[in-house]
Amino acid sequence: MKRLADLTFDNSFSRLPAGMHARVRPTPLQGAHLASLSPAAAALLELSPDSLREQEAVAALSGSQLLPGMDPIAMCYAGHQFGHYVPQLGDGRALVLGEVLTAGGARWELQLKGGGLTPFSRDGDGRAVLRSTIREYLCSEAMHGLGIPTTRALCLFGSDEEVYRERIERGALLVRMAPSHVRFGSFEVFYHRQQYRELQQLADYVIDHDFPDLRDCERPYLALLREVVGRTARLMAQWQLAGFAHGVMNTDNMSILGLTLDYGPFGFIDAYDPGFVCNHSDHRGRYAFDQQPSVGLWNLTCLAQALLPLLDADDADASVEQARDALADYEPAFAAAYVSGMRAKLGLREAHPDDPALAASLLDLMAVSGVDYTNLFRDLAALCLDEAASATPLRDRFIDRPAFDAWADDYRARLRAEGSGDATRAAVMRSVNPRYVLRNYLAQQAIERAEQGDYSEVDCLLDLLSRPFEEQPERQGYAAEPPDWGRRLEVSCSS
Ligand code: AMP
Ligand code: MG
């Protein structure tokens, strides 16, 4: 296990031409103190977690001192925000410190989120507040615990610095990491400016850096698009299966690696409602839970458009044809991933054409009664094949109990037909249906304590959510449905 100063840094993105990024030094965060760290993320860097508490590491990761080998930049990108193209965004408050090259051969780009002004900050202050930083920190690690691709979070710093939002808050800083933070919007900016040379340089960079196997394909840029289509489709299926709503699926928040990126006003569904909107500013429900799969495709269409000049440099019609073909794979890829994930959630081993209908009718019943999404699937593992239909306590969660009984009859018949055994099925179901998710009210409780200087609840949630499938009897309360005050917490975009 190493210390931060022993790590080897590279800066591959900063070697790309100026204009694709801006060199910028972090602005030290006043009175920065390490609030929490993720031992699992530290292990990915081959770092000893305790070494992050050392003065040198705190100084480097909170922006007051660069280590040899770091060459910080802010990335340039654009994006479609709520359906409208915004020509230049860029990281207004995220800085790439450099990439850690591990002995195991991995590359992890380290980013400071909240590291101060950059040339892309526009009217912003380059800072992040404690509450949004805690939410991103916990949710990154929680999503990883659920097996969902995501950027990771190494540690979070609190500070004495005052930051002005709707009220005065404390500045904070998140150190996040991913093999790459390139977004769909990173391509869109050069396409819309007709800077096709930069567009190609970026595509070549992404292929060489993240998808080296595609280099030998006959059409590497088309292969790249196909790869991103597949990854995005699978990611959307995983979000839907977990009951996760991202909240701001602008194309600048879509990762080219198919990672969950940029946690803002996200939410896990408590009482099941397919039209759940977690973003307080999303008045029309553009990013409602049940819209996410189609928004994924809409966003991929923006990416495909941006790649058109590279697909067939001589024949625009041929480029469009290739892009259409690649995008046509999205819906089947999403459906396949979603149905197989639902089958796993229901403990079904064999594929059957009626499976989508079986899952959909359960979800319909849950929506009518507002049944807790996470707990219903978790507790469904306890259903037995031999009990009388009316015996399962699960039926009491539904307003229309006979309708649930009828569904459960069909479900039992389906399980019997594949020779399902109660004990084996329950164990498998408990390995895919979490007991614990980062419910908004849990995050809120941790934030309120942290704002008083007590980070113990942040640490507790981090640990709990790193093992979401394991019953943790001493923490059973964390599986509870939200109390009244926490039922419809509105999360603002301001962060
Ligand atoms: P987000 O909603 O966090 O994905 O941010 C959208 C865009 O606004 C990104 O380009 C951010 O870098 C930028 N941004 C958000 N908050 C700030 C801030 N406080 N200061 C500067 N730029 C910001
Ligand atoms: Mg963003």
Side-chain angles (χ1 to χ4, degrees), residues 308-327:
L308 285 178
L310 307 182
L311 295 181
D312 191 320
D314 306 316
D315 183 343
D317 290 343
S319 289
V320 170
E321 209 46 50
Q322 289 176 28
R324 280 216 182 99
D325 266 7
L327 292 169

Side-chain angles (χ1 to χ4, degrees), residues 18-50:
M20 297 173 86
H21 52 73
R23 285 211 155 64
V24 52
R25 288 184 74 100
T27 310
L29 186 66
Q30 307 292 311
H33 52 266
L34 185 71
S36 182
L37 68 89
S38 163
L44 294 171
L45 303 180
E46 300 164 350
L47 266 183
S48 128
D50 282 338

Side-chain angles (χ1 to χ4, degrees), residues 1-9 41-42 45-63 65-70 97-101 108 110 112 154-155 157 175 177:
M1 284 296 192
K2 298 176 184 158
R3 294 159 59 242
L4 193 69
D6 302 329
L7 297 181
T8 307
F9 284 92
L45 303 180
E46 300 164 350
L47 266 183
S48 128
D50 282 338
S51 72
L52 288 172
R53 300 180 201 284
E54 291 170 11
Q55 171 52 29
E56 189 181 39
V58 168
L61 295 176
S62 66
Q65 190 195 319
L66 294 180
L67 291 177
M70 289 177 173
L97 279 184
E99 286 160 285
V100 174
L101 305 183
W108 288 98
L110 292 193
L112 304 187
L154 179 62
C155 59
F157 294 93
V175 184
M177 43 194 258

Side-chain angles (χ1 to χ4, degrees), residues 145-147 378 429-436 464 466-472:
L146 292 170
R378 178 72 183 191
M429 287 174 77
R430 288 181 185 126
S431 71
V432 294
N433 292 304
R435 171 54 84 204
Y436 311 100
L464 175 88
S466 68
R467 299 173 281 134
F469 301 107
E470 223 175 88
E471 293 286 343
Q472 300 177 44

Side-chain angles (χ1 to χ4, degrees), residues 131-178:
R131 69 184 147 77
S132 67
T133 305
I134 288 175
R135 285 170 56 82
E136 174 153 358
Y137 173 74
L138 288 177
C139 202
S140 315
E141 294 304 280
M143 292 292 263
H144 174 71
L146 292 170
I148 301 178
T150 175
T151 57
R152 299 295 300 272
L154 179 62
C155 59
L156 102 84
F157 294 93
S159 84
D160 302 333
E161 204 168 302
E162 289 190 343
V163 173
Y164 297 84
R165 298 292 183 264
E166 287 87 358
R167 59 187 168 98
I168 297 179
E169 300 188 49
R170 294 284 160 200
L173 196 151
L174 176 73
V175 184
R176 71 176 173 188
M177 43 194 258

Side-chain angles (χ1 to χ4, degrees), residues 71-210:
D71 184 14
I73 52 158
M75 289 167 144
C76 173
Y77 55 83
H80 278 82
Q81 298 194 316
F82 287 89
H84 302 285
Y85 185 65
V86 182
Q88 187 177 302
L89 293 165
D91 280 329
R93 56 169 170 177
L95 295 164
V96 177
L97 279 184
E99 286 160 285
V100 174
L101 305 183
T102 70
R107 280 174 177 266
W108 288 98
E109 198 171 76
L110 292 193
Q111 270 203 352
L112 304 187
K113 189 165 175 182
L117 291 174
T118 81
F120 307 110
S121 297
R122 293 169 292 157
D123 298 330
D125 58 6
R127 290 300 191 204
V129 296
L130 187 60
R131 69 184 147 77
S132 67
T133 305
I134 288 175
R135 285 170 56 82
E136 174 153 358
Y137 173 74
L138 288 177
C139 202
S140 315
E141 294 304 280
M143 292 292 263
H144 174 71
L146 292 170
I148 301 178
T150 175
T151 57
R152 299 295 300 272
L154 179 62
C155 59
L156 102 84
F157 294 93
S159 84
D160 302 333
E161 204 168 302
E162 289 190 343
V163 173
Y164 297 84
R165 298 292 183 264
E166 287 87 358
R167 59 187 168 98
I168 297 179
E169 300 188 49
R170 294 284 160 200
L173 196 151
L174 176 73
V175 184
R176 71 176 173 188
M177 43 194 258
S180 163
H181 292 83
V182 170
R183 301 135 191 277
F184 291 9
S186 312
F187 290 88
E188 289 177 276
V189 68
F190 300 119
Y191 169 75
H192 289 276
R193 289 183 188 166
Q194 301 186 2
Q195 289 180 309
Y196 299 150
R197 205 165 58 91
E198 283 81 357
L199 183 68
Q200 183 164 4
Q201 283 169 320
L202 179 65
D204 286 335
Y205 171 83
V206 167
I207 290 172
D208 293 342
H209 188 265
D210 301 301

